Amino acid sequence: MRWLLALTAARMRTQAATRYRELGLDGKTLARSEVAIARALANRTHLDRAQLAAALERAKIATTGQRFPYLVHHAELAGLVCSGALRGKQLTFALLDERVPASAPIPRDVALAMLARRYFARRGPATVADFTWWSGLAAAEARAAVASIAGELVTDGAYHEAATHAPATGPRAHLLPAFDEYAVAYRDRAALASTALTNFQLLSPIAVVDGRVVATWRRTLGKRGVAYALAPVGTLAARDRAAIEDAAARHAAFLGSTVDSVSTR
C-alpha cells in the first residue's frame, strides 16, 4: 500500500483539488482534519463512518454533504488512514501506521514496472489505454511503465493465436461481487455485454456467462437456503440461466448452504 500511495497519491490530490475548493476544504482545514482523525484513531481505535464523522464535528470541522468522504479521501492519500477491521457488516477506518508494516521506499521506475506487471498479469488481455485509465497515471508515465516490461508481455497476434486454439467448453457462469475488477479494470468495456451497460450495472454484483455480463444479481439468506434474484441485461437465454443456477449452487455451497430459489426480477 505504501509504494502504491507514493506512486499515485500526488496526481490524485491534484485531480481532486478543484473539488476540495468547491467544498471549502482549504489547506488549513485539511491539516486540522488530519490532526483530529489521528487523535480519534489513536491506540488502534477503529471507527465506523458515523463515529469518525462525529469526531471531526467535535473538532469543529463540518462533515455535511460530500465533505466527509473528501476529508477521508485526503487522509487516505496522505498515508494517514486505511481500512480497519469489519464490525459486523460495518466498514471502519484505522491508522495506516498501525495496520501496515513500515517498508523501504521503492524507486519510482521500479514501482511503475511492478504496477504494470501486476496489471497485465491479472487483467490481460488489455491495452495501454486500459492501464493508463485504471492506474490514473499520466499517459507518458503509463506508456513508459509498459515499455519497461515489454519483453514480458504477449501481444496481439500471439495472443489471438493462443485464444483461437483454446479448447471449447460449455457455458460457464460466475457470480461476481460489486466493483469486481472484471467490470471496472478497463477503459473500453464494450465487449462485456451485447448491450451498453450503465454505470450502475457495471458497479453492481454481476452474473457473467462465458465472459459476457448477462445480469446483475443479489442474494438473500433465509432459513430454507439462499434466494438469488437476477436482473437480466437484455434477454436471458435458457442456457445462460442454467449456467447461472450452477454458479448459484457453488456460491451457496461456499456459504455452507443450499439454493432456495433463483428468480428473475
Side-chain angles (χ1 to χ4, degrees):
M1 187 168 184
R2 295 183 187 280
W3 68 266
L4 286 171
L5 282 172
L7 197 60
T8 61
R11 183 171 171 82
M12 293 178 70
R13 277 196 294 268
T14 299
Q15 292 170 336
T18 299
R19 188 59 178 146
Y20 286 156
R21 288 193 296 271
E22 291 172 349
L23 294 169
L25 299 176
D26 57 16
K28 184 178 179 180
T29 302
L30 291 171
R32 288 175 52 224
S33 73
E34 288 187 34
V35 173
I37 290 172
R39 287 175 177 170
L41 298 178
N43 300 317
R44 301 192 178 277
T45 301
H46 295 202
L47 298 180
D48 63 26
R49 180 187 178 97
Q51 292 170 325
L52 188 57
L56 286 165
E57 292 283 352
R58 287 194 295 272
K60 309 300 182 184
I61 300 171
T63 60
T64 54
Q66 288 292 300
R67 283 175 63 96
F68 179 74
Y70 274 91
L71 287 165
V72 173
H73 177 264
H74 169 78
E76 289 173 331
L77 294 181
L80 178 63
V81 303
C82 63
S83 297
L86 278 174
R87 184 182 298 146
K89 293 184 178 181
Q90 288 292 317
L91 300 174
T92 67
F93 301 98
L95 292 179
L96 178 71
D97 286 344
E98 294 182 351
R99 295 277 283 174
V100 180
S103 58
I106 297 175
R108 191 168 183 86
D109 60 336
V110 175
L112 285 166
M114 287 171 57
L115 188 63
R117 183 178 297 111
R118 293 185 182 196
Y119 176 81
F120 286 101
R122 295 169 182 169
R123 296 164 182 85
T127 66
V128 177
D130 290 328
F131 173 65
T132 304
W133 179 85
W134 173 86
S135 66
L137 295 169
E141 199 164 44
R143 288 195 298 269
V146 176
S148 71
I149 63 164
E152 304 172 36
L153 300 176
V154 177
T155 58
D156 292 333
Y159 170 77
H160 289 298
E161 179 70 14
T164 300
H165 291 89
T169 60
R172 177 74 166 175
H174 298 279
L175 299 180
L176 302 182
F179 295 96
D180 191 83
E181 284 288 285
Y182 187 71
V184 302
Y186 308 95
R187 182 175 184 176
D188 182 357
R189 290 165 282 192
L192 289 182
S194 56
T195 59
L197 298 171
T198 66
N199 283 334
F200 174 78
Q201 290 170 320
L202 283 169
L203 300 179
S204 297
I206 51 176
V208 176
V209 179
D210 290 344
R212 307 294 294 275
V213 179
V214 299
T216 60
W217 68 280
R218 60 180 173 82
R219 59 110 172 105
T220 303
L221 302 177
K223 293 182 179 179
R224 298 189 303 173
V226 187
Y228 296 86
L230 308 174
V233 176
T235 302
L236 185 62
R239 67 187 293 276
D240 293 344
R241 182 185 176 87
I244 292 173
E245 290 175 351
D246 288 340
R250 297 195 307 273
H251 182 261
F254 172 78
L255 296 176
S257 185
T258 57
V259 176
D260 175 33
S261 62
V262 178
S263 61
T264 302
R265 53 187 171 93

